[in-house]
Amino acid sequence: MNLIIKKISLSMICIFFIGCTTSLDKYSNVEPKLNLFNYFNGQTQAWGIFEDRFGNIKKQFKVNITGTVEGNYLKLNEEFVYKNGENERRIWNIEKINENNYLGKANDIEGVAKGKSEGNALNWEYNMNIKVKKKNILVHFDDWMYLQENNILINKAKVTKWGFKVGEVLLFFSKID
């Protein structure tokens, strides 16, 4: 009997998580098309917030980004300036696997980040070590980016730990001419 209950519970959990995923297919014909390498080549700025799971804004920040493309590789140098005066730097090395798939690495990323794009959207997932009260905690990011008119890129990321929501990041990117 316990085996049956365990199987039913596992099936319900799988159905729940499958039902919560968002498919990129519905964005395949949405304009403007997002070309990740073209968008981030050169100078970009972003402004963002981090909200905890209760909707409280915990961090506000600006990011200055310099992107360099060499063949199938994009290097992003991100410099974060937080409202509280803290600074942080992340360097992404992203490889274009094919027209719609990417792999990425950065110093605070555990393993490899995986990205897939369709139309104006990109889904980017990775595990990141973040500092919380002077200690590193490994969390999962599920980023969704959407290119809008006038080269505005909106990024909404769900942050989870062991499948439970920790918070959300909301970012707005703009190209610098």
Side-chain angles (χ1 to χ4, degrees):
M1 186 67 157
N2 282 341
L3 183 59
I4 293 171
I5 292 172
K6 286 181 184 178
K7 285 184 179 181
I8 291 171
S9 297
L10 183 59
S11 296
M12 290 174 65
I13 289 169
C14 289
I15 290 168
F16 172 77
F17 282 111
I18 290 169
C20 292
T21 61
T22 304
S23 172
L24 276 167
D25 296 339
K26 63 184 168 187
Y27 301 106
S28 62
N29 294 319
V30 179
E31 297 284 338
K33 299 281 186 203
L34 174 59
N35 180 314
L36 188 67
F37 279 34
N38 286 346
Y39 187 84
F40 282 107
N41 192 26
Q43 301 294 313
T44 309
Q45 282 189 326
W47 299 264
I49 59 170
F50 172 76
E51 288 184 337
D52 67 16
R53 67 178 171 241
F54 305 110
N56 301 309
I57 295 177
K58 294 297 188 178
K59 291 192 175 193
Q60 296 182 55
F61 54 92
K62 180 179 177 181
V63 190
N64 295 307
I65 305 164
T66 302
T68 308
V69 174
E70 290 184 22
N72 286 341
Y73 294 91
L74 168 63
K75 182 177 183 177
L76 291 179
N77 184 348
E78 300 177 330
E79 303 217 6
F80 292 78
V81 179
Y82 293 92
K83 195 91 162 175
N84 66 2
E86 291 179 18
N87 294 310
E88 185 179 17
R89 185 175 182 193
R90 178 172 303 111
I91 298 175
W92 278 100
N93 291 295
I94 300 170
E95 179 181 8
K96 185 175 187 176
I97 303 303
N98 58 37
E99 189 64 31
N100 298 83
N101 291 283
Y102 305 90
L103 296 176
K105 291 185 177 186
N107 56 325
D108 51 0
I109 301 302
E110 192 79 24
V112 178
K114 295 178 182 174
K116 183 172 173 91
S117 65
E118 287 287 341
N120 77 327
L122 172 88
N123 179 223
W124 190 241
E125 290 196 58
Y126 51 92
N127 295 316
M128 176 187 278
N129 287 299
I130 61 171
K131 269 192 177 176
V132 178
K133 296 180 183 177
K134 297 184 181 180
K135 110 180 172 178
N136 282 335
I137 296 176
L138 186 64
V139 295
H140 181 76
F141 276 75
D142 185 5
D143 283 18
W144 284 87
M145 298 180 181
Y146 306 94
L147 184 60
Q148 305 297 299
E149 296 175 14
N150 300 317
N151 270 333
I152 300 298
L153 184 65
I154 300 171
N155 181 193
K156 184 175 182 179
K158 187 164 99 173
V159 184
T160 57
K161 174 83 176 162
W162 299 312
F164 296 100
K165 183 178 175 182
V166 173
E168 287 187 344
V169 176
L170 186 60
L171 277 163
F172 295 88
F173 296 86
S174 180
K175 291 294 296 172
I176 305 298
D177 292 329

